[in-house]
Amino acid sequence: MSDRKEFRDLAEPAEAHEAIASLDLEPEPETVELAEARGRILAERVDADLDVPGFDRASMDGYALRASDTFGADEADPAILELVGEVHAGSEPDVFVGEGECAEISTGAVLPDGADAVVMVEKTAEAGSEGEAIEIRTSVAPGNSVMPAGADIAAGQRALGPGTELTSREIGLLSALGRDEIEVRGQPTVGIVSTGDELVRPGEELHSDAGQIYDVNSYTIAAGVEEAGGEAKLYPHAGDDMAVMEEALTTAAEECDLVLSSGSTSASAVDVVYRVIEERGELLLHGVSVKPGKPMLVGRLEESAYVGLPGYPVSALTIFRTFVAPAIRRAAGVPEPRTATVEGTLAAEERYTEGRTRMMPVGLVENEAGETLVYPVDKGSGATTSLVEADGVVEVDADTEYLAAGETVTVTLFSPSVRTPAVLAFGEDDPAFSRLLDRLPSSRFLAVGSREGLRRLRDGLPDAAVVAGPVRREVESVGLGSWEREWGLIVPDGNPEGVDGFGSLADADLRFVNLDTATGLRASADAELDRLAAARDTDAAALQDAIDGYEFTLKAHESPARRVLDGKADAGLGLRATAEKLGLGFVPVDTQTVRVRANPERVEKQGVQDLKAALAGIDELFADLPGFSDS
Amino acid sequence: MSDRKEFRDLAEPAEAHEAIASLDLEPEPETVELAEARGRILAERVDADLDVPGFDRASMDGYALRASDTFGADEADPAILELVGEVHAGSEPDVFVGEGECAEISTGAVLPDGADAVVMVEKTAEAGSEGEAIEIRTSVAPGNSVMPAGADIAAGQRALGPGTELTSREIGLLSALGRDEIEVRGQPTVGIVSTGDELVRPGEELHSDAGQIYDVNSYTIAAGVEEAGGEAKLYPHAGDDMAVMEEALTTAAEECDLVLSSGSTSASAVDVVYRVIEERGELLLHGVSVKPGKPMLVGRLEESAYVGLPGYPVSALTIFRTFVAPAIRRAAGVPEPRTATVEGTLAAEERYTEGRTRMMPVGLVENEAGETLVYPVDKGSGATTSLVEADGVVEVDADTEYLAAGETVTVTLFSPSVRTPAVLAFGEDDPAFSRLLDRLPSSRFLAVGSREGLRRLRDGLPDAAVVAGPVRREVESVGLGSWEREWGLIVPDGNPEGVDGFGSLADADLRFVNLDTATGLRASADAELDRLAAARDTDAAALQDAIDGYEFTLKAHESPARRVLDGKADAGLGLRATAEKLGLGFVPVDTQTVRVRANPERVEKQGVQDLKAALAGIDELFADLPGFSDS
């Protein structure tokens, strides 16, 4: 292995920020049409080059006149003025208003010469048989109901400054000034080069047996670049072919303000990056003392800035968000997002002693007192689900080895639009409950299994737990709803081995696939084995030993069935609903009850009430879930 | 005038919300490529249809082996295993690891059959002369440094629910699942029909004499539609041609989910809208009891929803934001923005007795105690500048006639990204100061004139005031900076009338244009006239009367010069810098001092400190401002 890969001299986060700040990624300003300008940042200062409005403008329907002719007029003693013409919006007045005269005028029309005020129509009446005179029943001052030329903004005045974000409101002002094109800050072009033989672009065929995985970083980082105000450009996937990789890097450097590479975990690929940077640029920094994300490169490549991101998705996105996104925002002139942080209370103690600054992904939940509880969501830096199960990040200093439960921490939300879930549930991954969640869009459910769900409920973290099958240790809780589901052994279609229960698995040489002990299905299976052992006058452990694969467990409830489907097992633990969905055979064993149990302190919480109301209609979801029924 | 235009039965705001909610603007879902999916809302529920990772994956560089072979091994007593092959990421293992054997493995590679754990390379050493054996210096449990198939997410598990907004994080998970296309909520198509003879699209030529103004609403509302998650479609400007207007409305109704019309203030145009709606649709509501924004129509037009917006830009955008944007967000599946409200203290009392719910645009400033002060920004519903000078809206109940200074009000920000300005200044519109503002992007300056700036400073609203010329009543303040500027009479190029000061204006029959009494230039001009009157042994009032146009005042400091430029006046009050900028003649009268004066309580405020620092370099801006100099 290369010495370089050991990252002996890790840079402090501040050094990494400095290294990136020393790079120039700022593109030239560009001119865009007003209709395309929303969300862009003004590069120029905009002064009005005309008066708005461009003329003295009537702001009421009524009569244009000389204010002095109305002095003293009221309902009892109106002034009578001669009607000499009319002026409509959008046309040039062809009338002069002299002393004792008036002209009909509509809102938005040009105040005719001679007139200095408008009286609204409601304060007037026609007079004279031919309507040739008008009664004015109020007195007005010069300028009444007139918006003078330039009153909104006058020629020569500063309208907007450079750095202004163009929202609908600024677009309104620019429209009023007649601007149909506008100079805005350029969006830095960010080239994304993903490397690694094992990566396949989404949509293409995947060969898992050959260790292939989908390329997560390319589209994820591209979306992150756009969120930060840059323009992302994906380069063809470079694999681990050194020539292709070098070509992709140098082409991207020619075409972009910043090149990001990510993906390859192979030492030889890293070596190519090192060589290309050293031959055609400069390496400023490699390795930063942050977890996740240690392997980060910063440098220059040709005329472009270069950052190498770690390969693991969570690491790559963390490094991107922490170090690269702020630089892209600066280059694009986009202000740092309004501080989207929340204070919360750590729900459980957290220990960590690796001596690197830790960017700890966390989820949020509101407790009964309206306080925010914070819990780590750390499924490893290879887990893309932790990206969507977390709400933000707590930065933990390198020298903080211990955070106590109840400690106050500051969470930087992933974006200001992140919301604390309305209801948080942990527990058994049940297909009916999973469908119910579609009706509760701001809910969050973590499929940790019944046992773990109950444990977390006891610790006071989630609002509710979903628990299936027998329970060893009771937890104080309030039932929100329950239903029954049929479980058993899932076998190939037609049940070719004639499996008729756990007994036949113990007696024949059949490969079985079990579920994790945290699941309620496993709890029921264990209970069934206890019953069977008693009936056979043996002990359950001996029976388990006799079943080939009883200790081979998977976590997800459909996974054993899929092993059977793939011909990798003869039988698997699962639900009738799963067997029928996958077109497999099913040997029923029993039914079990699934209960949704609320934290008793949080029953009044709106999200819990909404969950309870939704659960009242869960039987609507049983139609295509064979084996499911009301409790 | 039509009876309808009087809006005798105004609907309550709640009724207007209901009427719009009764319309269906929801488009069909659509399929987009993952690369284009950022910011869209998931229409479907997404279940994993494969395990991620798809195989048991090494999470370290090292050796794949059977954990049982390492039991008891440590630094002092390593286990020695036979090296039987190697496995790289992205390739299918061609080796079986038996008892007493190991295989070199790289991060991300498939765990070979037979092996159940990985030992990291740092805990191993080569043994044997040919490297055919490996020392294992630690003991590991089965599964160590292995990410099992499906550990991130397993086939059959729910990945994302409908209604989820797709950010970089969700795009990461969808990438991992191999999805390159995704079904998202459709964006409602919103047709915008602007009417009114007087409206000209930005970029086209404007005839102000004919009462033309630029069409503000079309692009502004289009931007608002996009901010709310809709897709805006502008229809050709319909003018007041009834046939064209009807055609535009019916075409838009055929092509769009929602038609918005706006613009015309003419009764006949409103009548066309009424007729078209009544013939081809249904009118549900006209007129809503909100200020600004009374004239609002809600109905159906063919199969489309229809809302008629008021013509004035502030009214149109207020009605749009209050009633229409939430309906577009609902139809697009976009969640309501995280409540972007701030509590603030009203800076001055506010009276209002019109009996309609008032949507009062307000600006914000932070006082010395860090509290938010709130002040109305109300230049009339025709003023587009009030769109950008306000930060949000305070909703005042129809029956609230009085709000006291110091009262706490809730401000709904225009968007969550709105920030309170770092520094707020009121006062004289000075070209050097105006350029300085370009260096302070988060500042706000309102050009209300020196006198008004001082008055507001005395009332404790702004952080600073910009004051030019003589001051009648002193205000306690702290000087932040000052400079001199030369002022006088701006005349046509070459000074054809031989103007040599105010005296010649009084003596000859020349048309003069003055500035508003709130400006510092006017204060200096008045003082000059006092001096001249004393010299001539007359009184200033007589001298003012003798100058034709002394009472004809404009607000913006360049405006008198522009009247001269247009041939509408022989002389105007102004600065040498303005005369030279516009290529006009200049008759110097005097210099005056411009002072930036801070609220003494807020000198420590960061924005004020930044302003002071910037002012120290204001002389850098004098190069192309003739007549400007250091104090």
Side-chain angles (χ1 to χ4, degrees):
Chain A
M1 303 276 158
S2 153
D3 272 0
R4 287 158 176 161
K5 283 204 74 198
E6 295 183 23
F7 301 105
R8 288 209 180 86
D9 304 308
L10 295 180
E12 290 305 309
E15 295 171 73
H17 280 296
E18 271 169 41
I20 292 182
S22 76
L23 304 171
D24 173 25
L25 10 157
E26 187 172 327
E28 293 297 307
E30 56 181 314
T31 299
V32 296
E33 294 188 10
L34 189 64
E36 306 298 324
R38 188 179 71 85
R40 302 299 295 268
I41 307 296
L42 209 53
E44 53 174 356
R45 161 203 174 114
V46 176
D47 288 340
D49 55 6
L50 73 168
D51 285 345
V52 180
F55 52 91
D56 295 341
R57 189 170 188 235
S59 53
M60 289 281 188
D61 288 333
Y63 294 91
L65 41 65
R66 297 179 174 214
S68 53
D69 283 342
T70 70
F71 292 169
D74 59 18
E75 292 282 338
D77 183 19
I80 311 286
L81 301 181
E82 186 188 350
L83 182 62
V84 295
E86 53 184 332
V87 195
H88 293 293
S91 59
E92 190 163 355
D94 54 1
V95 61
F96 178 88
V97 177
E99 257 180 60
E101 295 175 347
C102 67
E104 188 177 344
I105 193 163
S106 41
T107 305
V110 180
L111 192 73
D113 283 343
D116 62 9
V118 169
V119 172
M120 65 196 291
V121 66
E122 289 82 353
K123 297 285 185 187
T124 67
E126 295 189 5
S129 55
E130 304 293 314
E132 72 281 7
I134 301 293
E135 277 187 24
I136 307 295
R137 299 174 166 178
T138 187
S139 65
V140 293
N144 265 35
S145 299
V146 175
M147 187 178 193
D152 189 353
I153 187 164
Q157 286 192 302
R158 181 180 192 262
L160 295 169
T164 305
E165 184 186 346
L166 300 178
T167 72
S168 52
R169 301 178 293 126
E170 287 75 20
I171 286 171
L173 180 52
L174 291 167
S175 294
L177 296 175
R179 295 289 298 259
D180 64 337
E181 287 187 337
I182 198 85
E183 196 172 67
V184 296
R185 295 285 294 261
Q187 299 177 306
T189 311
V190 181
I192 297 172
V193 178
S194 81
T195 62
D197 258 358
E198 74 276 26
L199 299 181
V200 173
R201 283 273 162 95
E204 293 174 14
E205 201 184 342
L206 188 76
H207 298 287
S208 289
D209 293 343
Q212 291 183 343
I213 55 172
Y214 281 115
D215 172 11
V216 171
N217 287 344
S218 292
Y219 289 125
T220 308
I221 298 299
V225 164
E226 284 162 13
E227 284 164 0
E231 200 173 300
K233 188 165 180 180
L234 263 60
Y235 286 84
H237 175 228
D240 274 349
D241 181 322
M242 305 306 150
V244 174
M245 202 185 306
E246 179 159 358
E247 171 69 19
L249 287 170
T250 53
T251 307
E254 276 162 28
E255 296 175 348
C256 301
D257 300 302
L258 167 66
V259 178
L260 297 176
S261 74
S262 107
S264 189
T265 48
S266 80
S268 52
V270 171
D271 283 344
V272 172
V273 169
Y274 272 104
R275 185 173 54 73
V276 173
I277 298 289
E278 278 170 7
E279 280 174 16
R280 297 165 176 259
E282 183 187 1
L283 191 65
L284 299 176
L285 181 148
H286 78 106
V288 61
S289 182
V290 162
K291 180 190 169 77
K294 191 164 62 174
M296 173 205 197
L297 306 178
V298 179
R300 290 190 189 87
L301 180 55
E302 309 280 1
E303 300 300 302
S304 170
Y306 169 79
V307 175
L309 299 172
Y312 278 132
V314 176
S315 308
L317 196 58
T318 302
I319 287 291
F320 176 81
R321 293 180 56 89
T322 308
F323 298 102
V324 184
I328 294 175
R329 284 194 290 268
R330 275 196 307 275
V334 175
E336 281 295 294
R338 192 188 170 83
T339 323
T341 59
V342 294
E343 301 285 304
T345 302
L346 206 60
E349 65 169 26
E350 185 67 18
R351 288 175 191 277
Y352 170 75
T353 53
E354 215 173 310
R356 286 190 273 155
T357 300
R358 185 175 175 201
M359 310 299 285
M360 181 169 74
V362 295
L364 305 178
V365 61
E366 206 170 90
N367 75 4
E368 54 279 10
E371 296 158 352
T372 300
L373 298 183
V374 177
Y375 58 96
V377 177
D378 203 346
K379 302 167 77 175
S381 48
T384 51
T385 44
S386 63
L387 293 175
V388 301
E389 287 173 1
D391 296 303
V393 165
V394 172
E395 186 175 334
V396 186
D397 280 349
D399 51 6
T400 300
E401 297 187 350
Y402 176 75
L403 291 168
E407 192 154 329
T408 299
V409 290
T410 301
V411 181
T412 303
L413 299 179
F414 285 126
S415 80
S417 67
V418 165
R419 287 165 180 73
T420 300
V423 60
L424 175 68
F426 281 66
E428 187 83 3
D429 188 11
D430 173 84
F433 188 75
S434 160
R435 286 166 199 217
L436 192 78
L437 291 173
D438 295 345
R439 300 180 174 185
L440 296 164
S442 58
S443 59
R444 174 175 292 152
F445 174 69
L446 299 185
V448 296
S450 294
R451 201 179 57 191
E452 180 70 3
L454 265 187
R455 188 181 72 76
R456 304 304 290 261
L457 189 68
R458 190 171 57 230
D459 291 348
L461 180 59
D463 299 315
V466 182
V467 183
V471 166
R472 276 195 211 165
R473 187 174 155 190
E474 267 309 328
V475 170
E476 197 195 342
S477 62
V478 174
L480 297 179
S482 68
W483 59 97
E484 303 290 315
R485 58 184 197 175
E486 192 177 8
W487 67 275
L489 299 173
I490 297 176
V491 294
D493 190 27
N495 193 4
E497 302 289 344
V499 172
D500 67 357
F502 283 101
S504 58
L505 295 182
D507 301 337
D509 183 19
L510 297 173
R511 291 162 305 163
F512 175 65
V513 182
N514 211 340
L515 279 166
D516 191 90
T517 53
T519 65
L521 284 173
R522 170 64 179 267
S524 285
D526 286 351
E528 171 66 14
L529 247 65
D530 287 344
R531 201 194 56 71
L532 191 62
R536 290 190 174 194
D537 206 15
T538 176
D539 71 4
L543 208 53
Q544 290 185 15
D545 281 347
I547 298 175
D548 176 20
Y550 200 85
E551 293 308 321
F552 183 78
T553 65
L554 296 171
K555 280 196 155 55
H557 77 89
E558 282 192 10
S559 295
R562 288 175 186 266
R563 292 262 166 163
V564 173
L565 188 66
D566 292 347
K568 292 178 176 170
D570 301 306
L573 180 60
L575 298 171
R576 174 186 287 279
T578 304
E580 297 200 9
K581 169 183 166 187
L582 299 176
L584 292 166
F586 181 71
V587 179
V589 174
D590 203 351
T591 63
Q592 65 173 194
T593 306
V594 186
R595 293 184 175 83
V596 182
R597 306 163 70 151
N599 179 330
E601 310 286 337
R602 302 210 198 136
V603 174
E604 297 309 314
K605 187 173 155 175
Q606 187 58 49
V608 175
Q609 288 292 313
D610 293 345
L611 173 59
K612 187 178 177 184
L615 281 165
I618 196 164
D619 54 347
E620 297 159 18
L621 303 170
F622 295 164
D624 57 347
L625 287 174
F628 277 68
S629 61
D630 285 332
S631 275
Chain B
M1 304 274 158
S2 152
D3 274 0
R4 287 158 176 161
K5 283 203 74 197
E6 297 182 23
F7 302 106
R8 290 211 180 85
D9 305 309
L10 295 179
E12 290 304 309
E15 294 171 73
H17 279 297
E18 269 169 42
I20 292 183
S22 76
L23 304 172
D24 174 23
L25 10 159
E26 187 172 327
E28 293 297 309
E30 55 181 314
T31 299
V32 295
E33 292 189 11
L34 188 65
E36 306 298 323
R38 187 179 70 85
R40 301 299 296 268
I41 307 296
L42 209 54
E44 54 174 356
R45 161 202 173 115
V46 176
D47 289 340
D49 55 6
L50 73 168
D51 285 345
V52 180
F55 51 91
D56 296 340
R57 190 169 186 236
S59 53
M60 289 281 187
D61 288 333
Y63 294 91
L65 40 66
R66 296 177 177 215
S68 54
D69 283 341
T70 70
F71 294 168
D74 59 18
E75 291 283 336
D77 184 19
I80 311 287
L81 301 181
E82 186 189 351
L83 181 63
V84 294
E86 53 184 331
V87 197
H88 293 291
S91 59
E92 190 163 356
D94 55 2
V95 60
F96 177 89
V97 177
E99 257 179 60
E101 294 176 347
C102 68
E104 188 177 344
I105 193 162
S106 42
T107 304
V110 180
L111 193 73
D113 283 343
D116 61 10
V118 170
V119 172
M120 64 197 290
V121 67
E122 289 83 352
K123 298 285 185 184
T124 66
E126 295 189 5
S129 54
E130 306 292 312
E132 71 279 10
I134 301 293
E135 276 187 24
I136 307 295
R137 297 172 167 180
T138 187
S139 65
V140 293
N144 265 35
S145 300
V146 175
M147 186 178 193
D152 189 353
I153 188 165
Q157 285 191 304
R158 183 181 191 261
L160 295 169
T164 305
E165 185 188 346
L166 300 178
T167 71
S168 52
R169 301 178 295 127
E170 286 75 21
I171 286 171
L173 180 52
L174 292 167
S175 294
L177 296 175
R179 294 290 298 261
D180 64 338
E181 288 186 337
I182 198 85
E183 197 172 67
V184 295
R185 294 284 294 261
Q187 297 176 307
T189 311
V190 180
I192 296 172
V193 177
S194 81
T195 62
D197 258 358
E198 75 277 26
L199 298 182
V200 172
R201 282 274 162 93
E204 293 174 14
E205 201 184 341
L206 188 75
H207 298 287
S208 287
D209 293 342
Q212 291 183 342
I213 56 172
Y214 282 114
D215 172 11
V216 172
N217 286 344
S218 292
Y219 289 125
T220 308
I221 298 298
V225 164
E226 284 162 11
E227 284 165 358
E231 200 173 301
K233 188 165 181 181
L234 263 59
Y235 286 83
H237 176 228
D240 273 350
D241 180 322
M242 306 304 152
V244 175
M245 203 186 305
E246 178 159 359
E247 171 68 19
L249 286 170
T250 53
T251 308
E254 276 162 28
E255 296 174 349
C256 301
D257 299 301
L258 167 65
V259 178
L260 297 176
S261 74
S262 107
S264 189
T265 48
S266 80
S268 52
V270 172
D271 284 344
V272 172
V273 169
Y274 273 105
R275 186 172 54 73
V276 173
I277 299 289
E278 279 170 6
E279 281 173 15
R280 296 164 176 260
E282 184 187 0
L283 191 64
L284 299 175
L285 180 147
H286 79 107
V288 61
S289 181
V290 162
K291 180 189 168 77
K294 190 165 62 173
M296 172 205 197
L297 306 178
V298 179
R300 290 189 190 88
L301 180 55
E302 309 282 1
E303 301 300 303
S304 170
Y306 168 80
V307 176
L309 299 173
Y312 279 130
V314 176
S315 308
L317 196 59
T318 302
I319 288 291
F320 176 81
R321 294 180 56 89
T322 308
F323 298 103
V324 184
I328 294 174
R329 283 194 290 268
R330 274 197 306 276
V334 175
E336 279 297 295
R338 191 188 171 83
T339 325
T341 59
V342 293
E343 301 284 305
T345 302
L346 206 60
E349 65 169 24
E350 186 67 19
R351 287 174 192 278
Y352 170 76
T353 52
E354 215 173 311
R356 286 191 271 155
T357 301
R358 185 173 174 204
M359 310 297 285
M360 181 169 74
V362 295
L364 305 178
V365 60
E366 208 170 90
N367 75 4
E368 53 279 9
E371 294 157 354
T372 299
L373 298 184
V374 177
Y375 58 97
V377 177
D378 204 346
K379 301 168 78 174
S381 48
T384 52
T385 44
S386 62
L387 294 174
V388 301
E389 287 172 2
D391 296 305
V393 164
V394 172
E395 187 176 331
V396 186
D397 280 349
D399 50 5
T400 300
E401 297 187 351
Y402 176 75
L403 291 169
E407 192 154 330
T408 299
V409 291
T410 301
V411 181
T412 302
L413 299 179
F414 285 127
S415 81
S417 67
V418 165
R419 286 163 182 74
T420 300
V423 61
L424 176 69
F426 281 65
E428 188 82 4
D429 189 10
D430 174 83
F433 188 75
S434 159
R435 285 164 200 217
L436 193 77
L437 292 172
D438 295 346
R439 300 181 175 185
L440 296 163
S442 58
S443 60
R444 174 176 291 153
F445 173 69
L446 299 185
V448 295
S450 292
R451 200 179 58 191
E452 180 70 3
L454 265 187
R455 188 181 74 76
R456 304 303 290 263
L457 189 68
R458 191 171 55 231
D459 291 348
L461 181 58
D463 299 316
V466 182
V467 184
V471 166
R472 277 194 213 168
R473 186 173 156 191
E474 267 307 329
V475 171
E476 197 194 342
S477 61
V478 174
L480 297 179
S482 68
W483 59 97
E484 303 291 318
R485 57 183 197 175
E486 192 177 9
W487 66 275
L489 299 173
I490 297 175
V491 294
D493 190 25
N495 194 6
E497 302 288 345
V499 172
D500 68 356
F502 283 102
S504 57
L505 295 181
D507 301 338
D509 184 20
L510 297 173
R511 289 163 304 163
F512 176 66
V513 182
N514 210 342
L515 278 166
D516 191 89
T517 54
T519 65
L521 283 173
R522 171 63 178 266
S524 285
D526 287 350
E528 171 66 13
L529 247 65
D530 288 343
R531 200 195 56 74
L532 192 61
R536 290 192 175 193
D537 205 14
T538 175
D539 72 1
L543 209 51
Q544 289 185 16
D545 281 347
I547 298 174
D548 176 18
Y550 199 87
E551 293 307 322
F552 183 78
T553 65
L554 296 172
K555 280 194 156 54
H557 78 90
E558 283 193 11
S559 295
R562 288 176 186 266
R563 292 262 166 163
V564 173
L565 188 66
D566 292 347
K568 293 179 175 167
D570 301 306
L573 180 60
L575 298 171
R576 175 187 287 278
T578 304
E580 298 201 10
K581 169 183 166 187
L582 298 176
L584 292 165
F586 181 69
V587 179
V589 174
D590 202 352
T591 64
Q592 64 173 194
T593 306
V594 186
R595 292 184 176 84
V596 181
R597 307 163 68 149
N599 179 329
E601 310 285 337
R602 302 209 198 137
V603 174
E604 298 306 315
K605 187 173 154 175
Q606 188 58 50
V608 175
Q609 288 292 315
D610 292 345
L611 173 59
K612 187 178 177 184
L615 281 165
I618 197 164
D619 54 347
E620 297 160 17
L621 303 170
F622 296 162
D624 56 347
L625 287 173
F628 277 68
S629 61
D630 285 331
S631 276

